[in-house]
Amino acid sequence: MFNKETEYAFRAMVYIQSRNYAGHRPGIEETVKAIDAPHFYTAKILQRMVRLGFLQSVKGKGGGFYFDADRPDLPLKDIVMAIEGDRSFCGCVFGLKHCDEQNPCPLHHQFVEIREGIDRMISTQTIQTLAQKYVKDENMDDLLPRSG
């Protein structure tokens, strides 16, 4: 659904927030191991999230990644928009340049409903609410990619 960068950002940030709830700031090594993601690619993604102000980091002993508790919860849509822009919300399922209400592709009307549902979901779900679910369930394995 979303590109790999967005998927890794979601997984890493949910993991980081869940560890923050336990009073821990995970570093990059711990994070990539926990979410089974490529080290350098994930490090670049997290650096970008820090630059955008979505995430904080401290270097050195006792350092790691963390969320500023004084900031509002981070909707998934903010991450999608920062990484992918709005293409997920306005593009044609066929990839046509001129697909709209006046010139719809064969799936235009069905895809509009799906796109609106995804928009609602990522607008209401936050990194914090997802991390709370993982902490409550104590099942971080759900952050790992599915094989097959």
Side-chain angles (χ1 to χ4, degrees), residues 17-145:
Q17 180 64 81
S18 69
R19 297 299 290 138
N20 290 172
Y21 287 141
H24 179 67
R25 294 184 205 163
I28 189 65
E29 298 296 333
E30 176 185 339
T31 302
V32 298
K33 184 177 179 185
I35 68 167
D36 191 29
H39 181 277
F40 294 109
Y41 190 47
T42 306
K44 287 179 76 169
I45 293 166
L46 292 178
Q47 287 170 352
R48 185 174 180 194
M49 297 297 103
V50 169
R51 277 195 313 275
L52 291 169
F54 294 154
L55 194 58
Q56 307 295 313
S57 68
V58 174
K59 294 183 182 193
K61 186 175 174 109
F65 294 99
Y66 67 97
F67 284 85
D68 182 347
D70 294 330
R71 292 200 53 170
D73 286 358
L74 178 60
L76 299 181
K77 185 171 184 174
D78 289 3
I79 299 166
V80 172
M81 293 297 289
I83 294 173
E84 300 185 28
D86 66 352
R87 72 177 180 84
S88 298
F89 309 105
C90 62
C92 171
V93 71
F94 277 87
L96 301 176
K97 291 181 183 176
H98 304 289
C99 175
D100 55 29
E101 288 295 318
Q102 288 73 39
N103 189 28
C105 74
L107 290 176
H108 179 79
H109 298 292
Q110 292 96 334
F111 193 62
V112 166
E113 293 174 23
I114 293 167
R115 196 169 41 221
E116 288 172 353
I118 292 168
D119 185 36
R120 275 190 305 277
M121 177 188 67
I122 66 174
S123 295
T124 58
Q125 293 295 312
T126 68
I127 292 295
Q128 290 75 13
T129 57
L130 295 176
Q132 288 169 356
K133 289 177 186 178
Y134 283 109
V135 169
K136 180 182 170 199
D137 295 343
E138 296 183 22
N139 190 3
M140 295 305 294
D141 290 343
D142 290 342
L143 290 176
L144 296 175

Side-chain angles (χ1 to χ4, degrees), residues 1-12:
M1 158 129 297
F2 298 110
N3 70 32
K4 282 290 182 198
E5 184 176 358
T6 302
E7 290 175 8
Y8 290 142
F10 285 168
R11 290 192 346 234

